[in-house]
Amino acid sequence: MKIINLFAITAIGLLILTGCGTGASSRHESLLTISAENMQGLDDHQWSAVKEIDGRKARVVTGRDTASFIVPAWWGNSARPGDGEIFVLEIDYQDAFSAPFIVYSFGNSANSRNQMSELHRIAGENTAGWKTAYVPVSWDYLFAGAGAPSGVGNQAFGIKLGDEAKELPVSEIRIRKAATGDESRYNAETRAWIKKSQEKYEFKDSSSTAALPDTWNTKSCVPYLRDYLSPILPWAAPREGEAGATMKLRMSLNEIESKQLGVYANGKDLENVSINVSALKNEAGEALNAETSLYTVEYALIKARGNRPPQVDAQRIWPLYETPVKAGRSQAFWLSFKTKQQTAKPGLYKGEISVLIHGKPAEKIPLEIEVMPISLLTMDEAGLSMGGCVTGFIPFHDITYAVENNVNAINLWYSSTRPNMSKTDGKLKLDFTLIDEWMKKAKQLGMQNIVYFLGGNPYGFPKTMRIEQELFMTMHDEGTPEERSAKYLKLAADPANRGYIIKEIREAYGEWVKQFTEHAQQNGWPEVILTPFDEPAKHRQQPYRKEGNENDSTVIGTGPWIKTHFEDGCDLIRKYAAPGTRIYGSIHHPSGIEFLPKINVFCTNAIFDDPELGNKVRAGGEGKYFWQYTGIGGGGGSEPTKMRYAFGFYFGAYDSRGSLLWAYNWGGRFNTTQGNNWMICWDTPFSTIPTLSYEGLREAWDDRRYIETLRKIAKDKGKEEEIRIFLDDIFSQATNTKTEGGVDTVNDFWADTKSPEKLDRWRFLIADKIIELSKI
């Protein structure tokens, strides 16, 4: 594809583009209009020449790969538009297909290797008529700065056909500012294509018997309460004491607290159901100064474990939308309240929640929020770190959401995100242009640290030693890329070499570490914590175990060589890294304590095998940090209890100061019926769409914030020993409620509790103790 500067061409009149400038006032006024004749940056293998179809001039997307095109950066001379700006691409196309087509943009928010981010999928109906697709794109999905694949000043987009589509005629593309209704349309269209893609699956329905008191037994619309740790599914029904109950919350002056509300259709179908919340006021008539957000829970199919068919899950929490509820079925809604320390005032506030039918109140229940006189320590103030594994760079608005929800770190993998590497005059050269832009902004938005995996799973050794392979292919440039790759894999697997980083790249490995860590420290990045590769304690497993790589003859997998190879990598990092650089290890076996002399951050999922691991790490002295990790099931479903219990009181019992989650967004784009989907959220151009698991994760770290706030005030009041005994009792209860599962540190390491109802009880015991000590 030939790259051209569209600004220059426009200036001399060779490209006909119409626009109204950035000050356009009408919601439909175009900032930029591109006709089929004037599309630029096209690959002839993916786009046809201009042809006339139904009286329109059009180009046809014909290939199976992403068909790229570029437009001038309509927002001006900056690399991105202003923070928070959102635009809409209006794409006129012929509906000659049934499978959705996908629209992408380059925003330096997927990875640093010029990969585009998915914006939207447009479901076809195969009508042969002409339609307009409305594709939103936010400021952080756009990038036309230095390092952009389309050149400075040019924005790259792409269109990819669905599996069943053979071609897609496109006649015109217009770009405008987003307006009222664009977000709700995007959300609805997304849920529609998810539903359409899942229609082929059958699932077993279920039913429940409603336990309704006389006051609700004759009503068709029944609101009811249930702890979000027990998600309401479509076939749920009110249990005893739930129908019409008062929703009660207790929260601090700086906290997000959420509740689940079910609506049961008693005896008849309900249409266009939603909810509303009144103003909340205290006895003096003063309104609660808090942010209230309302949501609808989407029911979708997720991949089940084993060979079972997909199963229904209360999966995603979308901004509020109206939905039908069939007779004898339920719908979950979500309410979120956010207090801010600068404006919130302690007290008891009362209001009501209305269930709306066609926008009109049908039933109401009372709502009470107690704002406690407690200011929680933030994650940073408490010295706590929480990060999830991501597939690459995430959009900046997703970082803002993460930090607000107690996720103040991230875990990146070299295979997806890295500076460009080259050789100049025989020396290694790293290009930080793209990675710099993202890292600096991530730090500004509150991202504190990044665990950076230079290699992957030992089961794929040596192929998963990603940085080592790329260093070899860069520094030894004889032959084709395929030949160089094969040569590296053969050398690295050789019995004489496999226990160490091969001699051909040792100097380059050290130079890479030196350049990378020094640049990070000098250029305002989050703290970068390096690790040679993942889970080195797998060296204790049977030699040549290579799950998932059985048919790959270049892979030898795990064995004794993994231990010495990891330690060698740690030694090289220690030798060449900038001062203060920490080295990390994901240790899935208690014997992994043997790696402690080589690493700073010891992160384990095997605390149940050795409850003293944390103390052993801390006994290593200054510069040793104990962390813990766990994961989410691979179906992309909601597991709020596991998240809250594991990252909260269970890990808190061992005083780990940081955690990793496998994983944050590692999976499919909304439809999670196939493949592995380790994820707790999806990003859209408008917002972050979480699962209930994300809510459980945030609440887990709020539990930890309560714990650390109590410890601090105990220290200030000279009550440390009293509070240590108090907390130890809670921690003992927490560890004793762990279920028997979750003891396979490779395939089943998800801690769960037998007593989810105790989680709030323990939190409020701590909250009451904070209030008690504050009065001394």
Side-chain angles (χ1 to χ4, degrees), residues 389-452:
C389 293
V390 295
T391 54
F393 289 157
I394 61 176
F396 294 131
H397 68 269
D398 197 3
I399 297 177
T400 299
Y401 181 90
V403 172
E404 287 181 347
N405 285 271
N406 295 331
V407 178
N408 62 345
I410 205 168
N411 313 315
L412 289 170
W413 297 73
Y414 183 87
S415 58
S416 62
T417 306
R418 56 199 183 274
N420 288 322
M421 183 190 300
S422 62
K423 184 174 72 170
T424 303
D425 298 328
K427 300 292 185 180
L428 178 69
K429 182 178 180 180
L430 301 182
D431 181 358
F432 295 100
T433 303
L434 284 176
I435 200 169
D436 247 347
E437 192 263 349
W438 189 90
M439 290 286 193
K440 292 177 181 180
K441 187 68 173 181
K443 176 66 173 178
Q444 295 170 10
L445 293 173
M447 197 62 64
Q448 294 303 307
N449 67 68
I450 294 172
V451 174
Y452 194 30

Side-chain angles (χ1 to χ4, degrees), residues 363-651:
E363 300 294 345
K364 298 178 180 180
I365 63 169
L367 170 63
E368 296 181 1
I369 298 181
E370 178 191 352
V371 179
M372 299 177 288
I374 296 173
S375 295
L376 296 178
L377 295 176
T378 65
M379 291 285 287
D380 297 343
E381 291 169 344
L384 299 173
S385 173
M386 174 64 223
C389 293
V390 295
T391 54
F393 289 157
I394 61 176
F396 294 131
H397 68 269
D398 197 3
I399 297 177
T400 299
Y401 181 90
V403 172
E404 287 181 347
N405 285 271
N406 295 331
V407 178
N408 62 345
I410 205 168
N411 313 315
L412 289 170
W413 297 73
Y414 183 87
S415 58
S416 62
T417 306
R418 56 199 183 274
N420 288 322
M421 183 190 300
S422 62
K423 184 174 72 170
T424 303
D425 298 328
K427 300 292 185 180
L428 178 69
K429 182 178 180 180
L430 301 182
D431 181 358
F432 295 100
T433 303
L434 284 176
I435 200 169
D436 247 347
E437 192 263 349
W438 189 90
M439 290 286 193
K440 292 177 181 180
K441 187 68 173 181
K443 176 66 173 178
Q444 295 170 10
L445 293 173
M447 197 62 64
Q448 294 303 307
N449 67 68
I450 294 172
V451 174
Y452 194 30
F453 291 81
L454 302 182
N457 192 334
Y459 290 156
F461 181 89
K463 188 171 283 187
T464 48
M465 303 298 104
R466 301 297 187 182
I467 188 173
E468 299 173 34
Q469 183 169 0
E470 186 171 7
L471 282 168
F472 183 88
M473 295 178 66
T474 300
M475 303 307 292
H476 299 269
D477 50 7
E478 306 84 6
T480 66
E482 292 77 14
E483 290 170 340
R484 282 178 276 155
S485 175
K487 185 175 181 180
Y488 163 77
L489 293 173
K490 184 176 180 180
L491 282 170
D494 188 290
N497 299 329
R498 63 182 60 166
Y500 305 91
I501 295 172
I502 59 176
K503 65 179 185 300
E504 287 82 357
I505 60 168
R506 294 182 68 81
E507 182 180 348
Y509 191 101
E511 180 61 25
W512 187 95
V513 168
K514 181 177 185 297
Q515 290 187 34
F516 188 85
T517 55
E518 288 180 352
H519 186 91
Q521 291 187 7
Q522 294 166 7
N523 286 274
W525 292 15
E527 179 195 6
V528 175
I529 306 172
L530 298 180
T531 187
F533 53 86
D534 196 18
E535 297 187 324
K538 284 180 176 176
H539 77 86
R540 289 185 170 270
Q541 296 179 6
Q542 181 179 355
Y544 302 103
R545 182 175 177 180
K546 54 178 191 176
E547 289 183 12
N549 303 277
E550 289 82 1
N551 298 322
D552 191 336
S553 61
T554 65
V555 170
I556 63 172
T558 191
W561 50 88
I562 295 299
K563 177 179 184 295
T564 54
H565 198 109
F566 183 84
E567 291 175 335
D568 191 38
C570 290
D571 288 342
L572 286 175
I573 293 172
R574 183 74 65 211
K575 180 178 180 180
Y576 291 100
T581 299
R582 291 194 287 176
I583 301 175
Y584 167 95
S586 277
I587 310 298
H588 78 287
H589 194 277
S591 65
I593 196 70
E594 64 191 346
F595 292 110
L596 187 59
K598 301 292 184 180
I599 63 178
N600 303 100
V601 180
F602 183 102
C603 188
T604 187
N605 66 346
I607 194 68
F608 50 83
D609 278 337
D610 183 359
E612 289 299 312
L613 272 176
N615 292 329
K616 292 177 181 178
V617 172
R618 287 182 285 268
E622 187 176 354
K624 303 297 180 182
Y625 304 86
F626 181 63
W627 289 13
Q628 290 173 274
Y629 73 97
T630 187
I632 189 76
S638 291
E639 300 175 344
T641 302
K642 291 181 179 179
M643 291 295 98
R644 183 171 176 189
Y645 172 69
F647 288 104
F649 288 104
Y650 184 58
F651 285 179

Side-chain angles (χ1 to χ4, degrees), residues 20 42 96 129 147 184 222 233 327 364 366 376 378 421 464 481 520 536 564 594 667 669 726 728 758:
C20 302
L42 308 183
S184 58
V222 182
L233 292 169
K364 298 178 180 180
L376 296 178
T378 65
M421 183 190 300
T464 48
T564 54
E594 64 191 346
R669 186 65 178 171
F726 171 80
D728 281 350
K758 293 183 179 179

Side-chain angles (χ1 to χ4, degrees), residues 247-320:
M247 180 178 287
K248 297 182 179 182
L249 296 85
R250 296 184 74 191
M251 58 193 306
S252 73
L253 294 165
N254 55 336
E255 186 180 5
I256 299 173
E257 189 69 15
S258 298
K259 288 288 185 180
Q260 176 183 231
L261 174 71
V263 174
Y264 178 70
N266 186 29
K268 61 177 289 187
D269 293 350
L270 304 176
E271 300 294 333
N272 299 91
V273 182
S274 65
I275 60 172
N276 193 20
V277 174
S278 71
L280 290 110
K281 297 183 178 181
N282 60 17
E283 287 187 347
E286 299 171 318
L288 171 62
N289 199 331
E291 183 179 315
T292 301
S293 300
L294 306 178
Y295 305 89
T296 305
V297 176
E298 177 198 14
Y299 297 121
L301 294 175
I302 65 169
K303 182 182 178 183
R305 293 184 182 179
N307 296 320
R308 294 178 297 159
Q311 62 188 42
V312 176
D313 186 69
Q315 190 177 32
R316 280 175 287 262
I317 303 172
W318 290 89
L320 185 67

